[in-house]
Amino acid sequence: MIKYEGRNYSLDQNETVLDCLLRHGIAPPYSCKSGLCHTCLMRATQGTPTSDSQKGLKQSQISQNYFLGCACVPNEFMDITLPNSEAFRSITTVLNIAQLNDSVLRLRLKKPDNFNYFAGQYVTIYNNNGIGRSYSLASVPGTDDFLEFHIQVIPNGTVSNWIKQAVSVDDSITIGEAIGSGIYTNDNLKQSIALIGTGTGLAPLYGILRTALLKQHKGDIRLYHGSRSSANLYLQDALQQLANEHSAFTYIPCISGAEPLPEALTAGRANDVALKDIVNFKKWRVYLCGNADMVKASKRSIFLAGASMQDISADPFAHA
Amino acid sequence: MSDNLYEQIGGETAVNAAVDIFYRKVLADDRINQFFDGVDMEQQAAKQKGFLTFAFGGPNNYTGKDMRDGHAHLVARGLNDSHFDAVMENLGNTLKELNVPDELIGRAAAIAESVRDDVLGR
Ligand code: HEM
């Protein structure tokens, strides 16, 4: 038996989850029906998917109970959702709002009970009119007892301006569930990790970085944080502090605009600096976050520079 | 020994090893990479897996009609024999890089060849 959107469906002998849903007139996206195209990706919120149905998925997806509907003949009860369904919302409380630089706010919310997430995932924050925007989590579950977001305030940005102007401490705020597969997986502690982000793309990287350090990651970790001007960097002190404490971690703040730079800052775009620095990305684990054009272009150039597609997580921001 | 090509090449493990190498070759190949621009890379990598599984004679549900429909928008953009040849070349080089014996490479190439007319919409 499976459950989908609150209703139970019985499976025939040897029937896959996808076939069962199709037989009941439900049409989730699908294509090849052979476990190849990944179009019918689903997630179990209850029950464990069969290992057959997780073949070829990323480790980060497997640990979140993602599976392929066309390859799953369940051997136990499963409650199923589609990857980006917004079924879960919770109402929580604003704990703290602070200014990280001229245009970036740090928003801390109370972590609702039963709210589970991995560092690096993102959450939709809804304004009082129910309009939502996705923001990456900068906090680390277990370490931080709050949810932290870095909000780039965009001129005319519906939700970011609302947060800046209308939200204050103790207000209630509605959020969705944590989604996204750009998370730290400690299946290979010796792997080198490159974290490359622009603007508030730093938020998820900050969470992933601290998770990796917490899990005693052994390989090199290099963080390239890019910004147009040095005034738009943030968390420099905290990151430099982490670099001083952990010899395997290197923090490389990059400035793409023209300005005289102190020695601690590198001139150039974060992705270009990383490519020039690392050259061969074979066996590297790579996280890309922030400006959508940067993320898209880097995904390709870093793949061509040797990284396996499985090892690249890309999180393009609509505005960054 | 099994005469199943897919198993002889190494099954799913071989496909997984081949997909990165093959896709990297395709993206770096200026004769054909324009067809892959603008397609989401991750989805595309999954589709390459479909391509390789098919070429290796592995388990898949693709039909000639699927090949026809799946590439029709590319034919409209000028996909022709020369592009098909380039893909075949990249496939062969990928398998060589993985030390697959020539005889098996020939058999994979023959499977891929068998859908040339479908892919090119003829
Ligand atoms: C040996 C012949 C070929 C086979 C067996 C083959 C197989 C496939 C398969 C299985 C898919 C995925 C369909 C899906 O699940 O959605 C696909 C998609 C695609 N193929 Fe091929 N292919 C062949 C030749 C080519 C050639 C010569 C090109 C261009 C140079 C090409 C470009 C593409 C592109 C761009 C897509 C993605 C289409 C999209 O999503 O918009 N293929 N192919």
Side-chain angles (χ1 to χ4, degrees):
Chain A
M1 181 123 87
I2 56 171
K3 191 171 180 175
Y4 175 76
E5 292 193 334
R7 284 182 57 180
N8 288 332
Y9 299 95
S10 318
L11 294 132
D12 286 343
Q13 189 81 25
N14 289 326
E15 193 175 33
T16 65
V17 170
L18 178 63
D19 281 337
C20 175
L21 292 176
L22 292 173
R23 183 165 56 82
H24 287 95
I26 298 158
Y30 72 98
S31 175
C32 79
K33 284 184 122 188
S34 339
L36 297 168
C37 74
H38 293 198
T39 307
C40 66
L41 188 69
M42 303 178 180
R43 185 160 75 91
T45 53
Q46 206 186 320
T48 309
T50 58
S51 54
D52 276 353
S53 68
Q54 295 185 310
K55 270 196 206 153
L57 297 188
K58 295 185 175 189
Q59 198 53 45
S60 57
Q61 294 175 314
I62 292 171
S63 52
Q64 292 175 72
N65 282 338
Y66 279 97
F67 67 98
L68 300 174
C70 74
C72 186
V73 179
N75 42 31
E76 62 182 67
F77 174 79
M78 297 209 302
D79 193 345
I80 289 158
T81 66
L82 298 184
N84 292 322
S85 80
E86 289 272 344
F88 300 96
R89 292 199 189 181
S90 9
I91 297 177
T92 185
T93 313
V94 177
L95 296 177
N96 180 281
I97 305 178
Q99 198 92 31
L100 289 170
N101 67 24
D102 277 358
S103 61
V104 178
L105 297 176
R106 188 191 69 194
L107 174 69
R108 285 187 176 165
L109 305 178
K110 186 170 180 296
K111 186 173 95 62
D113 298 337
N114 302 324
F115 187 95
N116 294 314
Y117 73 101
F118 295 89
Q121 290 193 300
Y122 54 90
V123 166
T124 302
I125 299 182
Y126 296 90
N127 74 3
N128 51 348
N129 293 322
I131 296 172
R133 293 285 183 273
S134 297
Y135 291 101
S136 293
L137 286 150
S139 45
V140 175
T143 303
D144 303 321
D145 54 6
F146 46 80
L147 304 178
E148 176 170 317
F149 304 90
H150 300 162
I151 315 278
Q152 175 83 51
V153 181
I154 299 156
N156 306 320
T158 315
V159 175
S160 63
N161 270 304
W162 171 75
I163 294 171
K164 184 182 162 85
Q165 279 154 24
V167 173
S168 38
V169 172
D170 290 338
D171 283 358
S172 292
I173 200 164
T174 304
I175 60 174
E177 62 175 329
I179 48 182
S181 59
I183 64 176
Y184 177 77
T185 47
N186 53 341
D187 48 328
N188 181 359
L189 289 174
K190 296 209 180 97
Q191 191 167 26
S192 300
I193 299 179
L195 306 163
I196 303 170
T198 56
T200 51
L202 179 60
L205 302 181
Y206 186 51
I208 292 164
L209 165 69
R210 289 185 299 139
T211 306
L213 295 176
L214 209 69
K215 301 255 163 95
Q216 318 235 316
H217 192 83
K218 299 280 181 289
D220 279 347
I221 307 176
R222 302 181 69 83
L223 168 63
Y224 298 86
H225 183 213
S227 178
R228 198 158 303 147
S229 75
S230 52
N232 289 331
L233 289 171
Y234 65 92
L235 286 182
Q236 280 156 289
D237 293 345
L239 289 164
Q240 193 51 55
Q241 176 79 24
L242 285 174
N244 296 345
E245 288 165 10
H246 301 269
S247 57
F249 169 52
T250 315
Y251 168 51
I252 304 112
C254 306
I255 305 299
S256 60
E259 65 177 280
L261 294 179
E263 210 178 310
L265 304 182
T266 304
R269 291 170 191 273
N271 51 325
D272 295 337
V273 175
L275 267 165
K276 235 170 77 190
D277 220 16
I278 295 173
V279 182
N280 186 348
F281 278 87
K282 195 170 179 182
K283 303 226 160 79
W284 281 70
R285 176 85 177 89
V286 183
Y287 296 87
L288 301 165
C289 290
N291 180 283
D293 293 334
M294 183 286 285
V295 167
K296 203 167 153 245
S298 304
K299 194 169 170 183
R300 183 182 174 124
S301 49
I302 286 174
F303 174 67
L304 289 176
S308 165
M309 188 62 73
Q310 294 267 336
D311 282 331
I312 305 177
S313 294
D315 189 356
F317 288 6
H319 313 271
Chain B
M1 193 159 111
S2 148
D3 65 353
N4 180 316
L5 175 65
Y6 183 67
E7 280 168 26
Q8 284 184 43
I9 287 186
E12 201 187 326
T13 319
V15 171
N16 287 338
V19 72
D20 268 346
I21 300 175
F22 175 70
Y23 190 29
R24 201 171 284 127
K25 287 192 192 303
V26 166
L27 278 186
D29 187 337
D30 288 335
R31 294 173 296 177
I32 48 175
N33 56 14
Q34 75 270 21
F35 292 108
F36 296 84
D37 278 348
V39 187
D40 175 79
M41 282 180 69
E42 220 141 355
Q43 273 174 29
Q44 192 60 47
K47 287 181 181 175
Q48 302 296 337
K49 238 174 127 168
F51 166 82
L52 292 165
T53 306
F54 181 89
F56 296 175
N60 71 83
N61 295 321
Y62 289 118
T63 61
K65 182 172 178 310
D66 292 335
M67 291 299 153
R68 200 167 277 275
D69 296 346
H71 296 89
H73 62 300
L74 304 175
V75 173
R77 281 170 49 197
L79 185 72
N80 63 34
D81 280 302
S82 73
H83 304 119
F84 194 95
D85 294 341
V87 166
M88 295 297 289
E89 195 183 308
N90 287 315
L91 174 66
N93 288 337
T94 301
L95 295 177
K96 274 205 195 91
E97 215 170 300
L98 291 167
N99 296 320
V100 173
D102 284 347
E103 189 249 334
L104 299 185
I105 296 180
R107 283 168 61 191
I111 295 177
E113 257 321 321
S114 74
V115 292
R116 181 185 284 258
D117 284 349
D118 287 314
V119 168
L120 297 179
R122 297 191 290 231

